[in-house]
């Protein structure tokens, strides 16, 4: 495959969306047994969904794909809450909002996808990996919408779904904290809380999706902290736009991009306002972070 020297392969997916086909399980086992014998360290991925019940064949992970409308994907934010904590882990290798809600990469699509990802983040003990699909599209050969990065022979831009994923780039290796939302708007909200670290500091990150058309005011309360929240270095980042169907383009690549401001009033208890149709991340600088977050 163009590699003159050996290279490590950590995972092998056996098939692609083949679980329902007549001979899949029998052929799967032939590959599984042969690969396990020759390469015992390689993790094998089944095409069959194990999120709602146990698989009837051995696997290290199972492949989970979802392409649907924005409301349906938003409602799937709790998909893995009741998944068995034993058995193979999930690899959500393909997810995206599709159809009319997606356009050519809309803000609406990115918000539903963000809500879905908060559920994956909170269930990271059973969701091992996730990847948006597709990643790239040549604007001169659009066979699929939406995509994360659009390019032609000399320029490129990221869709709102690309920028949304940057909100989750610190998720790997982070500590997940419980969160409770008490609001009359709770049906249109999705949230997750993590502690993450850079080279010098620790941060409490609160991510909240407001999927509804109304601005929402919440009081954030962080309890159980072993250190104080430092306003210096605390920020709020918001992804939103004037219309829920707004998109980026070559002519206007930054129409829907995150905007970050300093949080000068950051404290253990503070009021925040979520704009309509928005994804917000509040990064609160911490000394240490052992807490329960309530909203």
């Amino acid at each position: 495959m163009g590699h003159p020297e050996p290279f490590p392969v950590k995972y092998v997916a056996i098939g692609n969306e083949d679980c329902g086909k007549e001979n899949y399980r029998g052929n799967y086992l032939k590959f599984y047994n042969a690969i396990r014998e020759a390469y015992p360290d390689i993790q094998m991925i089944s095409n069959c969904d194990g999120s709602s019940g146990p698989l009837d064949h051995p696997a290290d992970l199972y492949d989970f794909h979802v392409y649907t409308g924005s409301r349906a994907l938003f409602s799937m934010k709790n998909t893995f809450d009741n998944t068995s904590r034993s058995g193979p882990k999930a690899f959500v290798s393909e997810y995206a909002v599709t159809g009319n809600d997606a356009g050519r990469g809309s803000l609406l699509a990115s918000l539903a996808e963000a809500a879905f990802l908060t559920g994956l983040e909170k269930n990271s003990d059973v969701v091992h990996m996730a990847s948006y699909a597709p990643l790239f599209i040549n604007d001169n050969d659009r066979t699929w919408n939406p995509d994360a990065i659009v390019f032609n022979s000399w320029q490129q831009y990221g869709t709102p779904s690309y920028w949304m994923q940057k909100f989750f780039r610190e998720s790997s290796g982070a500590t997940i904290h419980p969160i409770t939302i008490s609001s009359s708007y709770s049906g249109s909200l999705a949230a997750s809380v993590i502690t993450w670290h850079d080279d010098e500091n620790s941060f409490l990150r609160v991510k909240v999706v407001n999927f509804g058309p109304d601005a929402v005011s919440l009081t954030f309360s962080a309890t159980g902290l072993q250190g104080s929240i430092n306003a210096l270095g605390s920020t709020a980042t918001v992804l939103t736009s004037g219309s829920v169907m707004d998109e980026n383009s070559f002519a206007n690549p930054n129409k829907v991009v995150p905007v970050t401001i300093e949080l000068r009033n950051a404290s253990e208890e503070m009021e925040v306002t979520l704009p309509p149709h928005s994804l917000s991340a509040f990064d609160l600088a911490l000394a240490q972070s052992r807490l329960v977050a309530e909203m």
Side-chain angles (χ1 to χ4, degrees):
M1 298 181 69
H3 295 266
E5 300 296 331
F7 60 95
V9 174
K10 296 182 179 180
Y11 305 93
V12 169
I14 303 175
N16 180 58
E17 297 184 349
D18 290 321
C19 182
K21 295 181 180 178
E22 180 180 359
N23 297 315
Y24 177 72
R25 283 168 172 78
N27 289 331
Y28 171 91
L29 289 173
K30 294 176 184 178
F31 279 95
Y32 179 92
N33 292 330
I35 295 170
R36 181 63 83 214
E37 181 177 357
Y39 302 100
D41 294 332
I42 288 181
Q43 301 284 287
M44 278 171 282
I45 306 171
S46 169
N47 286 181
C48 299
D49 180 12
S51 62
S52 57
L55 299 181
D56 60 0
H57 54 276
D60 299 298
L61 300 100
Y62 59 88
D63 202 359
F64 187 97
H65 295 183
V66 56
Y67 296 109
T68 187
S70 61
R71 290 188 179 275
L73 192 61
F74 179 86
S75 70
M76 291 179 66
K77 62 185 183 292
N78 300 318
T79 295
F80 294 93
D81 287 3
N82 298 314
T83 295
S84 171
R85 268 41 203 172
S86 61
K89 307 297 184 183
F91 175 24
V92 182
S93 67
E94 298 184 32
Y95 72 89
V97 168
T98 53
N100 293 334
D101 291 348
R104 293 162 69 93
S106 68
L107 172 65
L108 178 63
S110 71
L111 298 180
E113 292 157 2
F116 179 64
L117 284 186
T118 64
L120 303 193
E121 190 173 62
K122 289 187 293 184
N123 287 285
S124 57
D125 58 324
V126 293
V127 180
H128 189 59
M129 301 182 291
S131 57
Y132 180 90
L135 180 60
F136 293 106
I137 186 71
N138 187 326
D139 192 51
N140 298 304
D141 185 22
R142 280 187 174 267
T143 56
W144 182 273
N145 282 306
D147 306 271
I149 298 171
V150 182
F151 68 94
N152 58 24
S153 60
W154 63 283
Q155 56 188 337
Q156 70 285 319
Y157 66 86
T159 64
S161 293
Y162 165 82
W163 293 107
M164 173 277 298
Q165 290 175 75
K166 293 176 72 69
F167 282 69
F168 291 83
R169 62 186 174 182
E170 287 85 14
S171 298
S172 181
T175 300
I176 308 296
H177 300 289
I179 182 170
T180 301
I181 296 178
S182 298
S183 168
S184 58
Y185 295 96
S186 59
S188 62
L189 303 178
S192 65
V193 180
I194 62 171
T195 300
W196 65 278
H197 311 273
D198 63 14
D199 293 336
E200 298 179 357
N201 301 297
S202 298
F203 294 90
L204 173 71
R205 168 167 288 188
V206 182
K207 292 189 290 292
V208 190
V209 178
N210 181 5
F211 196 62
D214 301 308
V216 177
S217 294
L218 296 174
T219 299
F220 172 76
S221 178
T223 61
L225 288 172
Q226 289 189 333
S228 60
I229 290 176
N230 186 358
L232 183 64
S234 294
T235 60
T237 303
V238 179
L239 179 69
T240 191
S241 193
S243 169
V244 75
M245 292 306 296
D246 278 351
E247 306 171 355
N248 293 332
S249 63
F250 291 127
N252 193 353
N254 297 317
K255 185 173 186 177
V256 188
V257 297
V259 175
T260 300
I261 62 170
E262 294 184 5
L263 271 179
R264 299 184 182 274
N265 66 333
S267 64
E268 284 80 1
E269 183 169 319
M270 63 183 193
E271 186 171 295
V272 298
T273 299
L274 310 175
H277 297 128
S278 64
L279 167 60
S280 302
F282 304 95
D283 282 311
L284 310 179
L286 295 174
Q288 295 185 25
S289 53
R290 186 181 300 170
L291 60 105
V292 173
E294 296 183 355
M295 297 179 120

